[in-house]
């Protein structure tokens, strides 16, 4: 059976998500599975360059697995030494009450049963999109319990969503071959969808070789004259071919969608019109509480508008490539122009652009910021010369008040991404529960009313929790051996009204009224939707 690349990505994402949320044992199982899948994929690849790249990816996954195994071993040692209280009171049976412990993540199970790596488990609870290529370097300042955050500045208690974990969990392991950026493509929505469908189909049909050969023939950035390693890093980690998020995946936010379409699509369709005073926006800033869908919107722009998507977080620019950062910014824009129409998405831009001269401003980030300003100025003059070859900077922030004035001026369009409306919350529930069976007593309109003040990410958490309640009840008191014998169908139980009630009682909203007031005040002063 042909191995699907999107499945490998999906399972890698799950492995990392499990690792980042502390489920090291489960992560290990997924990692083993991915290594096996790549192994099987390798047997079907004849092209030596492509083989070598996949071997590299396999090695990387194996290394990550080793690291996760290392953590598991340390934890086992600590447990054996009695340093950690056994949450289940020393018993090996699963106790439902253990899930109620306030200090314990209810989603953290004990060790999963060992699995035959050839029998790939279908994830049953967490909804993921298959085939979503994901980035390698992310900062996770937005909150959550990320263990991989080495560089981000944690700020207070803001942003309690787990979205950052999700995002981080999805680090990219794809080889460069799969990430060859598209050359300038048509702006029609159907283009990107067609590409995706074709991609899925050809993978299933075992025709991926042909497709990739075709992509290899596409226009490629010539690295001569540039730091080759940096170019490769950008193509590998930052260029996303098809983020696979569609407008329909995003609930609510109609105005933001319309605005983004207008800012990106129209200039590509009507280049002659978007000249002079009507030149395209060089930058759009999405402002709003964490977990409201800003990153999703950026990905949807790239998917739906068929632009080449450069996905970079401020921490990538300032920390990992310290010393190389200005070069990286320069190259980023150079490549974006080459692959235009392009969207450069800079997440958490505030951490790059804290007010100039402020005590927190480091020399390195000051230089990066200056380079960014220069490059953004360059965008408009370049687009004057070549209308239609649009490069747009799309930035997101949860802390707009921290943004440097010079940069704020260049992010000409500043739009607010609010908490979901009542209608939006219901749509979000429907999106999140697409693959879950609901009991007849569940009224999503009522649930949506109760979720007032919750962000999109909070609502996703509530749905996730509610959809796991029945499973938790089912395995309560069971021994691991018994759980192992349960069929998937026995755990895939419908979600009831009570499950939502319990989940709601456990998951609090992450955005306070005080925060909302602050956003409103900033938007009144600087907003420009
Ligand atoms: P932000 O970038 O604003 O912090 P994200 O775009 O990363 O937020 O969203 C985090 C998660 O919250 C998403 O992965 C998704 O599950 C959920 N989410 C938030 N807003 C929406 C929305 N409008 N529609 C669908 N899902 C959403």
């Amino acid at each position: 059976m042909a191995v699907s690349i999107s499945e490998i990505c999906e399972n890698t994402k799950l492995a990392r998500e499990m690792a980042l949320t502390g489920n090291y044992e489960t992560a290990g199982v997924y990692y083993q599975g991915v290594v096996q899948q790549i192994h099987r994929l390798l047997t079907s690849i004849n092209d030596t360059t492509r083989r070598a790249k996949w071997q590299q990816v396999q090695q990387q996954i194996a290394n990550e697995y080793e690291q996760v195994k290392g953590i598991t071993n340390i934890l086992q040692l600590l447990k054996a030494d009695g340093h950690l209280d056994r949450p289940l009171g020393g018993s090996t049976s699963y106790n439902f009450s253990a899930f109620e412990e306030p200090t314990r993540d209810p989603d953290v199970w004990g060790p999963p049963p060992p699995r035959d790596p050839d029998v790939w488990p279908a994830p049953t609870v967490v909804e993921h999109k298959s085939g979503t290529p994901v980035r390698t370097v992310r900062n996770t300042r937005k909150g959550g319990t990320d263990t991989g955050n080495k560089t981000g500045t944690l700020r207070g208690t803001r942003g309690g969503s787990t979205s950052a974990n999700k995002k981080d969990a999805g680090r990219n392991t794809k080889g460069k071959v799969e990430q060859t950026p598209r050359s300038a493509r048509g702006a029609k929505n159907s283009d990107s969808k067609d590409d995706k469908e074709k991609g899925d189909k050809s993978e299933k049909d075992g025709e991926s070789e042909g497709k990739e050969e075709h992509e290899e023939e596409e226009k490629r950035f010539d690295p001569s004259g540039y730091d080759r390693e940096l170019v490769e890093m950008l193509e590998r980690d930052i260029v996303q071919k098809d983020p696979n998020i569609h407008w329909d995946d995003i609930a609510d936010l109609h105005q933001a969608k319309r605005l983004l379409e207008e800012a990106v699509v129209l200039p590509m369709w009507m280049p002659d019109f978007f000249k002079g005073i009507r030149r395209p926006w060089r930058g759009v800033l999405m402002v709003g509480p964490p977990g409201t869908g800003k990153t999703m919107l950026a990905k949807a722009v790239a998917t739906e508008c068929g632009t080449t998507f450069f996905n970079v977080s401020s921490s990538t620019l300032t920390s990992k490539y310290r010393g190389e950062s200005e070069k990286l910014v320069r190259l980023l824009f150079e490549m974006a122009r080459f692959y235009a129409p392009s969207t450069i998405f800079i997440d958490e831009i505030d951490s790059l652009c804290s007010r100039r001269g402020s005590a927190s401003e480091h020399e390195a980030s000051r230089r990066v910021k200056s380079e960014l300003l220069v490059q953004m100025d360059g965008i408009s003059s370049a687009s004057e010369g070549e209308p239609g070859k649009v490069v747009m900077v799309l930035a997101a922030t949860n802390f707009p008040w921290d943004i440097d004035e010079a940069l704020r001026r260049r992010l000409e369009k500043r739009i607010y991404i609010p908490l979901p409306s009542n209608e939006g919350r219901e749509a979000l529930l429907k999106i999140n529960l697409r693959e879950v069976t609901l009991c007849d007593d569940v009224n999503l309109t009522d649930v949506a009313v109760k979720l007032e003040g919750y962000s999109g990410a909070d609502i996703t958490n509530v749905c996730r929790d509610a959809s796991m309640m029945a499973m938790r009840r089912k395995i309560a008191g069971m021994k691991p051996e018994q759980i192992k014998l349960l069929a998937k169908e026995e755990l895939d139980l419908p979600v009831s009204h009570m499950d939502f009630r319990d989940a709601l009682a456990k998951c609090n909203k992450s955005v306070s009224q005080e925060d909302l007031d602050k956003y409103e005040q900033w938007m009144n002063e600087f907003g420009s939707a």
Side-chain angles (χ1 to χ4, degrees):
M1 200 181 69
V3 183
S4 143
I5 293 172
S6 62
E7 232 175 74
I8 293 179
C9 292
E10 182 63 13
N11 290 325
T12 306
K13 196 170 152 190
L14 278 167
R16 287 170 172 167
E17 179 164 305
M18 289 299 146
L20 289 170
T21 49
N23 297 311
Y24 303 114
E25 309 263 6
T26 315
V29 176
Y30 279 113
Y31 273 123
Q32 282 176 39
V34 174
V35 171
Q36 286 282 333
Q37 283 188 311
I38 299 178
H39 180 73
R40 270 186 283 149
L41 178 72
L42 281 168
T43 59
S44 65
I45 300 177
N46 298 324
D47 179 274
T48 45
T49 322
R50 191 166 170 244
R51 260 187 86 77
K53 278 174 184 154
W54 272 108
Q55 275 162 344
Q56 237 175 313
V57 175
Q58 193 184 31
Q59 187 56 48
Q60 190 193 331
I61 298 291
N63 290 346
E64 280 179 32
Y65 173 46
E66 284 306 317
Q67 286 181 18
V68 169
K69 239 180 15 187
I71 297 174
T72 319
N73 290 342
I74 293 169
L75 291 177
Q76 290 295 347
L77 276 175
L78 288 172
K79 274 187 196 166
D81 289 351
H83 290 305
L84 286 180
D85 283 343
R86 299 194 66 168
L88 302 177
S91 122
T92 50
S93 68
Y94 282 73
N95 183 342
F96 180 49
S97 62
F99 289 113
E100 305 305 323
E101 280 185 36
T103 51
R104 200 173 148 76
D105 180 345
D107 297 340
V108 179
W109 292 21
R115 289 197 178 93
D116 177 351
D118 283 338
V119 181
W120 193 251
T124 53
V125 182
V126 189
E127 186 189 321
H128 290 276
K129 302 232 161 291
S130 61
T132 306
V134 280
R135 74 191 99 163
T136 306
V137 185
R138 284 299 311 247
N139 165 281
T140 57
R141 208 199 59 209
K142 286 183 184 177
T145 54
D146 172 44
T147 51
N149 181 7
K150 296 193 187 83
T151 53
T153 349
L154 272 159
R155 292 191 193 191
T157 54
R158 290 177 285 190
S161 92
T162 57
S163 64
N165 286 347
K166 269 201 154 182
K167 286 189 225 165
D168 247 37
R171 294 177 187 198
N172 197 356
T173 58
K174 284 186 136 194
K176 202 170 89 190
V177 175
E178 269 64 45
Q179 291 216 320
T180 310
R182 294 176 196 202
S183 59
R185 288 161 293 192
K188 283 180 236 128
N189 291 354
S190 59
D191 272 4
S192 55
K193 279 189 182 151
D194 279 354
D195 278 1
K196 183 185 157 280
E197 277 157 23
K198 272 186 223 151
D200 289 350
K201 194 167 182 304
S202 64
E203 270 168 23
K204 279 188 196 127
D205 294 346
E207 291 167 6
S208 51
E209 293 288 311
K211 179 175 169 264
E212 278 161 15
E213 264 167 36
H214 170 73
E215 282 186 7
E216 285 293 331
E217 283 164 20
E218 284 190 5
K219 193 170 130 182
R220 291 211 63 156
F221 186 77
D222 179 7
S224 49
Y226 298 95
D227 181 332
R228 187 174 286 270
E229 252 180 56
L230 219 52
V231 173
E232 279 181 8
M233 187 281 295
L234 257 158
E235 290 203 340
R236 191 184 55 236
D237 297 349
I238 289 172
V239 179
Q240 276 193 305
K241 192 179 128 197
D242 180 359
N244 198 22
I245 299 279
H246 297 270
W247 292 134
D248 290 348
D249 297 324
I250 305 176
D252 224 2
L253 306 179
H254 306 292
Q255 203 201 348
K257 289 179 196 172
R258 188 192 50 73
L259 230 143
L260 290 170
E261 266 188 315
E262 185 187 290
V264 185
V265 184
L266 297 187
M268 291 193 291
W269 285 356
M270 303 184 285
D272 290 336
F273 179 83
F274 283 88
K275 278 178 177 169
I277 186 75
R278 300 196 195 97
R279 65 165 175 74
W281 305 109
R282 55 189 155 183
V284 175
L285 177 66
M286 294 184 286
V287 172
T292 44
K294 297 184 285 300
T295 307
M296 285 187 90
L297 280 168
K299 290 184 174 176
V301 166
T303 312
E304 299 280 7
C305 307
T307 56
T308 313
F309 190 50
F310 293 77
N311 194 347
V312 61
S313 78
S314 299
S315 55
T316 309
L317 295 178
T318 48
S319 51
K320 182 146 193 232
Y321 305 98
R322 203 173 277 282
E324 305 273 4
S325 297
E326 305 107 91
K327 259 208 271 179
L328 185 69
V329 173
R330 226 170 295 144
L331 185 59
L332 181 69
F333 280 78
E334 194 65 44
M335 283 174 77
R337 275 191 287 273
F338 179 82
Y339 288 119
S342 305
T343 312
I344 299 177
F345 175 56
I346 309 180
D347 202 0
E348 301 159 0
I349 195 152
D350 51 280
S351 62
L352 178 66
C353 297
S354 53
R355 272 182 293 273
R356 279 204 270 197
S358 65
S360 62
E361 190 178 45
H362 294 292
E363 177 60 22
S365 63
R366 198 179 57 75
R367 287 204 312 263
V368 172
K369 190 170 39 179
S370 304
E371 185 62 45
L372 187 63
L373 298 179
V374 169
Q375 291 298 331
M376 286 187 75
D377 288 341
I379 288 180
S380 29
S381 36
S383 69
E384 287 290 311
E386 278 185 282
K389 293 210 77 179
V390 181
V391 174
M392 201 192 66
V393 173
L394 191 51
T397 180
N398 303 339
F399 310 106
W401 36 85
D402 285 346
I403 290 182
D404 180 53
E405 186 200 321
L407 187 84
R408 195 177 61 226
R409 273 208 313 272
R410 283 159 179 89
L411 294 164
E412 299 155 305
K413 204 93 191 129
R414 297 180 282 270
I415 56 177
Y416 185 51
I417 311 298
L419 289 179
S421 63
N422 195 33
E423 195 188 304
R425 293 194 297 274
E426 193 171 336
L428 253 154
L429 286 169
K430 286 182 184 151
I431 290 175
N432 277 305
L433 299 165
R434 272 193 289 225
E435 288 167 13
V436 174
T437 321
L438 297 177
C439 293
D440 288 342
D441 65 354
V442 176
N443 181 337
L444 291 183
T445 313
D446 286 349
V447 180
V449 172
K450 293 199 178 83
L451 285 167
E452 184 171 6
Y454 281 66
S455 71
D458 295 339
I459 294 172
T460 302
N461 284 346
V462 170
C463 291
R464 191 168 172 226
D465 216 50
S467 67
M468 291 179 77
M469 293 284 180
M471 180 273 299
R472 287 183 193 139
R473 276 194 299 272
K474 179 95 188 172
I475 64 167
M478 282 192 183
K479 295 207 161 64
E481 302 75 49
Q482 294 169 303
I483 296 173
K484 264 188 260 175
L485 296 174
L486 290 173
K488 179 180 168 277
E489 299 73 51
E490 290 182 76
L491 293 173
D492 201 3
L493 301 164
V495 183
S496 70
H497 171 74
M498 293 278 277
D499 294 334
F500 277 105
R501 203 199 53 190
D502 293 348
L504 254 157
K506 280 167 71 180
C507 307
N508 294 319
K509 38 182 118 163
S510 59
V511 185
S512 70
Q513 186 56 46
E514 201 186 355
D515 290 338
L516 294 177
D517 294 343
K518 231 171 147 184
Y519 288 117
E520 194 184 329
Q521 203 182 336
W522 191 89
M523 283 307 290
N524 282 340
E525 201 171 341
F526 301 111
S528 65

